[in-house]
Amino acid sequence: MTDPLPSSLPIIDISAWVNPSSHTSSSCLATSHALDSACRNHGFFYLSNHGLEHLTPQILHLARQFLTESSVEEKEKLKLRGAGKGGGDGARGYQRIGENVTKGKSDFHEALDLYRPWPEPTEPPYKPLQGPNQWPSHPPSFRETYEDYITQLQTLGRTLLRAMAVGLGEPESTFDTAISESFWVLRCIGYPPLTPSPSSDPEDGISCGEHTDYGCLTFLLTDDTKGALQVLHAPSGTWITADPIPGCFVVNIGDMFNVWTNGLYASTLHRVIHRGGNYRVSVPFFFEPGWGARIDVLPGCKERRGEVSEGQGKVSEGGVVYGEHLLGKVLGNFVLEDG
């Protein structure tokens, strides 16, 4: 029997974990159970009362200013270049429309990608992912505001993972070591509207092709554009729309949870098809394990394979070193003029 198609993704109030002094332990436990249900059944959820509501409008505003007001020449100064070429590291910097590739097809968006700074000093030519971030000079407050936002999101990520650990029946500190030096990623993405396609195939014309996320947790912040982000409901094979809700992040789990939970939490395919008339702005933050963190099945999940539905649970029995996993993914993400 096919699971019923959900009308929307669950909304989870995280305030009990963000402000534990003003909540009971039972409310924290109830939140953890709600997270467990959302991760088992959807892999996606809305996160409310997270404490960053005062900052998110400014983050979107600055992203839009950079993407729509910067000249071509200003953007080209930040250009993402291949590792070892022109000061590039194959990951950090600005990509023009069509340079980002998903499953071999060019995506119809432009973006600026930022990563956790490499922990040791490096000099060009840079190895993959070991170069400096390319920060915009316009708008002037971009870097300062974003660095503050990234710091606060890492705190929220650690809090959310503690709540999720409890939901899994694991100790609250289960994920602390793996994410103590999170190799985070942040993208500022601009989506022009897709031009009408003569084909009836929804795959013919994609703003961002279907994919799962590589790491741990994604905190997605978008403008109020509706009808663009789509999440696959795997049991029915149907795409459901995940429209923005004011004050909420859209959160999804990444591939590392497949490993940690022995397939109990499966990362979910999603895509963007933006056919509206506006320029859509999106700022996803990827809260990831540390570069050298080894991801293995959690002790309490080793005996849970029987709970995993057929088709799930593609787990590497030998575990995963996150940095190696990330490198294998990122190096095929772009088609660049200079390689």
Side-chain angles (χ1 to χ4, degrees):
M1 180 177 178
T2 302
D3 293 342
L5 186 68
S7 58
S8 66
L9 300 174
I11 302 173
I12 297 178
D13 183 341
I14 194 64
S15 59
W17 281 87
V18 171
N19 299 299
S21 62
S22 58
H23 292 80
T24 63
S25 58
S26 61
S27 62
C28 288
L29 186 58
T31 300
S32 293
H33 288 161
L35 286 165
D36 179 57
S37 175
C39 292
R40 288 175 186 246
N41 297 316
H42 303 279
F44 267 78
F45 52 90
Y46 294 99
L47 193 70
S48 67
N49 293 316
H50 45 72
L52 274 70
E53 296 87 351
H54 64 292
L55 191 53
T56 51
Q58 179 70 354
I59 292 298
L60 285 170
H61 178 66
L62 291 172
R64 185 174 294 277
Q65 281 187 292
F66 164 68
L67 290 163
T68 64
E69 297 176 7
S70 300
S71 66
V72 172
E73 292 74 20
E74 288 173 319
K75 291 178 179 177
E76 285 297 301
K77 292 177 183 176
L78 311 176
K79 178 176 173 59
L80 188 157
R81 301 183 187 279
K85 300 181 180 181
D89 72 351
R92 304 172 196 257
Y94 169 78
Q95 311 113 54
R96 291 175 290 187
I97 292 173
E99 289 187 329
N100 196 94
V101 174
T102 304
K103 293 186 176 179
K105 293 185 178 181
S106 292
D107 296 319
F108 197 69
H109 67 253
E110 59 178 325
L112 175 71
D113 288 12
L114 304 167
Y115 286 75
R116 177 189 176 93
W118 193 254
E120 302 160 357
T122 56
E123 298 289 340
Y126 297 113
K127 295 179 180 179
L129 284 159
Q130 295 187 23
N133 282 322
Q134 306 296 311
W135 290 98
S137 58
H138 174 81
S141 61
F142 186 99
R143 180 170 183 171
E144 179 182 3
T145 305
Y146 267 70
E147 287 182 331
D148 177 42
Y149 180 62
I150 289 165
T151 297
Q152 294 192 48
L153 270 173
Q154 290 181 83
T155 299
L156 178 61
R158 287 189 288 269
T159 299
L160 182 55
L161 281 177
R162 283 180 159 249
M164 292 172 68
V166 172
L168 278 165
E170 301 285 340
E172 188 177 311
S173 61
T174 292
F175 301 112
D176 286 3
T177 299
I179 50 86
S180 63
E181 297 181 350
S182 169
F183 201 77
W184 56 261
V185 187
L186 182 141
R187 307 191 75 207
C188 291
I189 311 175
Y191 295 95
L194 289 163
T195 54
S197 170
S199 170
S200 60
D201 184 355
E203 294 289 341
D204 186 9
I206 292 287
S207 304
C208 184
E210 65 178 66
H211 63 283
T212 60
D213 291 342
Y214 311 147
C216 183
L217 294 171
T218 303
F219 294 86
L220 177 64
L221 174 66
T222 75
D223 65 17
D224 59 3
T225 303
K226 298 182 183 300
L229 175 62
Q230 300 177 0
V231 176
L232 182 66
H233 179 247
S236 66
T238 302
W239 292 95
I240 62 173
T241 301
D243 287 337
I245 295 177
C248 293
F249 287 115
V250 179
V251 177
N252 62 282
I253 56 175
D255 295 340
M256 295 301 97
F257 266 103
N258 288 24
V259 182
W260 270 325
T261 66
N262 208 15
L264 189 64
Y265 291 1
S267 49
T268 302
L269 285 168
H270 51 288
R271 67 186 184 185
V272 178
I273 301 178
H274 174 43
R275 298 196 184 279
N278 65 313
Y279 182 93
R280 178 179 182 261
V281 172
S282 167
V283 183
F285 177 78
F286 304 89
F287 185 63
E288 313 293 49
W291 180 266
R294 183 173 183 83
I295 312 302
D296 289 296
V297 177
L298 297 173
C301 294
K302 288 182 177 178
E303 300 174 0
R304 289 184 174 182
R305 186 172 294 275
E307 300 179 39
V308 180
S309 300
E310 184 179 352
Q312 290 182 300
K314 295 181 179 179
V315 175
S316 171
E317 296 292 347
V320 176
V321 175
Y322 179 66
E324 295 175 2
H325 173 75
L326 180 63
L327 266 179
K329 297 288 188 177
V330 168
L331 295 182
N333 272 359
F334 307 106
V335 176
L336 307 172
E337 290 181 357
D338 59 2

